[in-house]
Amino acid sequence: INAEYMGKICRVLYIPRIMMVGRPLSCVGRAVLGREGLLFTPGPLTTSPAVKQAMLVDLGSRDPAFLRIVKNVRSKLLDIAQTSQAQGTECVLMQGSGTFAVESMLGSMVPRTGKVLIVSNGAYGLRQTQIARILGINYDLLDLGDKGMPTPECTVEALQRDPKITHVSLIHHETTTGVLNPMEQIGRAMKSVRPDVGFLVDSMSAFGAYPVNMGEGSPIDALVSSANKCIEGVPGFAFALVRRSALLRCEGHARSLSLDLFAQWDALEKTTQFRFTPPTHSLIAFNQALLELESEGGAPGRLARYAANHSVLVAGLRDMGFHPYLSPDRQGVLLTTYLYPDDPKFIFETFYNKLGARGIVIYPGKLTKAPCFRMGSIGRLFPHDMQNLVDCTRHALSEMGVRLPARQVADVS
């Protein structure tokens, strides 16, 4: 039976396809048989069989079973942030990708007379400036470049220069490079000089692994993340965790009907339902993903697995001459950026396709000035999967004729 025919059978019967790529055993021998190709990306990412299986159930948007899932998801997300409704924090689920939640947060939390300081050290901070321009939100940009890291001092300095600033927005884990920003320290520093200024956090790629504490005394007023990141759900919705006092103040601020954060929360509270068609299957899958997160020991347990994954990746690529774009003191463990090898035989599209033929998906880079690629350590991946990625990377580069150990292109940032 040929591979194409087997693939059709697997798709019909929902059986994960076996990686039959006809490659040397040294490359694919460590692959887990019976699994689909693996996503070494920052999301969407590889999910567990149980998460996939959970989506094979159809529930109506007003079905009591579905509404119980919505209630549980909202409560568990607050638990992860070490807070609760009783402590004055609300969870608002929002249809769409993570960017939908970012746009909802900015468009709803910042009043029309307000001004937001966007602290940026990568593409996702700059994306917030695009949102602000389109929505007509007044903003200042503190741009530290791809390799910079915001500090409490530089953020406070920018804040004190302009008394009109009402909010500060920060990326927690910037997946342009994989840098982990000092969110808590920045929030506390800005609140110490301007307690009236709202602190908005995009924790898209960090929440569910790196610790977040929105309990009493936290500087965070609103935080957004997505289903298909460290909690290992599937795409379809994002969420905002918001101080109730701040949420009540944003009534009428929204620049969008569907992305009105206050109206979405108000409907969920009054009716337990979404205002518009909810992503039922994504939420059912996410409910299962939350159970798996809990069984792994919560965020600390998940971070430990991701850190082990990252260690295997960094050590394996170092042996081939590749060093992370960031220094160790700035590098998070969720995603790692590598500059291209300085070799005329290296063509990223060819490299990408050769890995894809081996059941491996990586990410192109997003640096503004240097050619690079990115490899993620998150999702339902384990150290043996990372070793397989390393082995397949070596094989792909060898087939391309790229000399190893590689010499990477110059860093022009």
Side-chain angles (χ1 to χ4, degrees):
I1 301 176
N2 65 35
E4 181 181 1
Y5 182 65
M6 278 298 296
K8 290 179 180 178
I9 293 175
C10 291
R11 286 192 292 275
V12 170
L13 298 180
Y14 300 100
I15 301 171
R17 63 181 173 85
I18 296 173
M19 297 197 307
M20 298 175 292
V21 295
R23 297 297 180 185
L25 184 60
S26 59
C27 176
V28 300
R30 295 183 179 87
V32 181
L33 295 180
R35 290 181 66 173
E36 297 173 330
L38 302 180
L39 306 182
F40 296 87
T41 63
L45 36 70
T46 295
T47 56
S48 75
V51 167
K52 296 179 179 72
Q53 183 73 24
M55 291 188 289
L56 301 181
V57 176
D58 295 324
L59 292 178
S61 60
R62 299 184 180 185
D63 190 309
F66 176 68
L67 297 181
R68 285 194 296 271
I69 287 173
V70 171
K71 181 179 179 180
N72 183 66
V73 165
R74 293 179 69 199
S75 176
K76 292 296 185 183
L77 286 171
L78 291 173
D79 288 346
I80 295 169
Q82 304 180 61
T83 187
S84 65
Q85 282 190 308
Q87 290 180 282
T89 312
E90 299 290 345
C91 175
V92 188
L93 306 180
M94 183 65 67
Q95 300 96 320
S97 72
T99 301
F100 284 51
V102 175
E103 186 162 335
S104 177
M105 177 176 68
L106 290 173
S108 300
M109 300 293 291
V110 183
R112 296 176 191 275
T113 56
K115 185 175 186 178
V116 59
L117 172 66
I118 298 171
V119 182
S120 173
N121 58 335
Y124 298 95
L126 296 178
R127 183 180 293 178
Q128 290 194 14
T129 68
Q130 293 178 280
I131 292 170
R133 283 196 299 272
I134 291 170
L135 296 185
I137 298 172
N138 194 14
Y139 74 93
D140 268 347
L141 171 64
L142 176 59
D143 188 359
L144 300 161
D146 291 334
K147 215 165 188 177
M149 175 181 278
T151 63
E153 293 76 17
C154 73
T155 306
V156 166
E157 182 182 347
L159 185 60
Q160 290 181 316
R161 281 198 300 265
D162 189 347
K164 294 181 180 179
I165 291 172
T166 58
H167 293 78
V168 172
S169 184
L170 175 75
I171 311 295
H172 186 186
H173 181 278
E174 174 55 81
T175 50
T176 299
T177 58
V179 63
L180 183 68
N181 290 326
M183 172 193 67
E184 182 80 12
Q185 296 92 318
I186 288 173
R188 293 198 179 282
M190 55 164 276
K191 289 286 187 177
S192 70
V193 297
R194 292 281 304 277
D196 58 312
V197 171
F199 188 35
L200 312 179
V201 177
D202 172 351
S203 188
M204 206 64 58
S205 297
F207 187 81
Y210 282 104
V212 169
N213 188 339
M214 290 186 66
E216 187 176 351
S218 170
I220 303 170
D221 292 288
L223 177 147
V224 293
S225 189
S226 175
N228 56 288
K229 299 292 184 179
C230 292
I231 301 177
E232 299 183 5
V234 300
F237 76 97
F239 50 88
L241 308 180
V242 193
R243 294 274 174 229
R244 187 182 304 119
S245 56
L247 192 55
L248 291 170
R249 287 196 299 271
C250 77
E251 182 178 6
H253 292 170
R255 281 85 166 169
S256 164
L257 171 66
S258 59
L259 298 180
D260 186 332
L261 201 59
F262 174 85
Q264 187 86 338
W265 168 73
D266 195 44
L268 285 167
E269 285 297 295
K270 290 179 178 177
T271 71
T272 71
Q273 298 173 22
F274 284 72
R275 293 178 297 153
F276 311 113
T277 304
T280 53
H281 296 83
S282 295
L283 278 156
I284 297 168
F286 192 74
N287 197 51
Q288 172 62 31
L290 286 168
L291 292 173
E292 295 178 5
L293 176 66
E294 186 176 348
S295 70
E296 195 170 4
R302 185 141 296 176
L303 183 61
R305 173 161 60 86
Y306 291 166
N309 289 349
H310 174 73
S311 294
V312 173
L313 173 67
V314 171
L317 264 71
R318 185 189 301 117
D319 287 345
M320 287 181 266
F322 291 93
H323 299 277
Y325 179 70
L326 296 174
S327 59
D329 61 315
R330 299 186 177 191
Q331 176 70 59
V333 302
L334 308 181
L335 177 135
T336 311
T337 294
Y338 290 97
L339 296 175
Y340 283 2
D342 189 5
D343 190 312
K345 293 184 178 179
F346 181 83
I347 300 171
F348 176 76
E349 290 76 11
T350 303
F351 178 55
Y352 181 90
N353 290 334
K354 283 185 175 293
L355 290 178
R358 292 166 162 85
I360 285 174
V361 178
I362 64 169
Y363 242 40
K366 288 184 77 74
L367 297 181
T368 55
K369 296 182 180 179
C372 62
F373 58 87
R374 297 178 290 168
M375 292 179 168
S377 309
I378 67 174
R380 205 66 181 169
L381 301 172
F382 299 87
H384 59 261
D385 296 311
M386 307 309 293
Q387 186 59 54
N388 185 51
L389 168 61
V390 169
D391 292 346
C392 289
T393 295
R394 185 183 297 275
H395 259 277
L397 293 173
S398 296
E399 287 182 0
M400 294 168 65
V402 175
R403 177 173 294 187
L404 297 177
R407 183 169 64 104
Q408 291 170 278
V409 297
D411 179 7
V412 295
S413 60

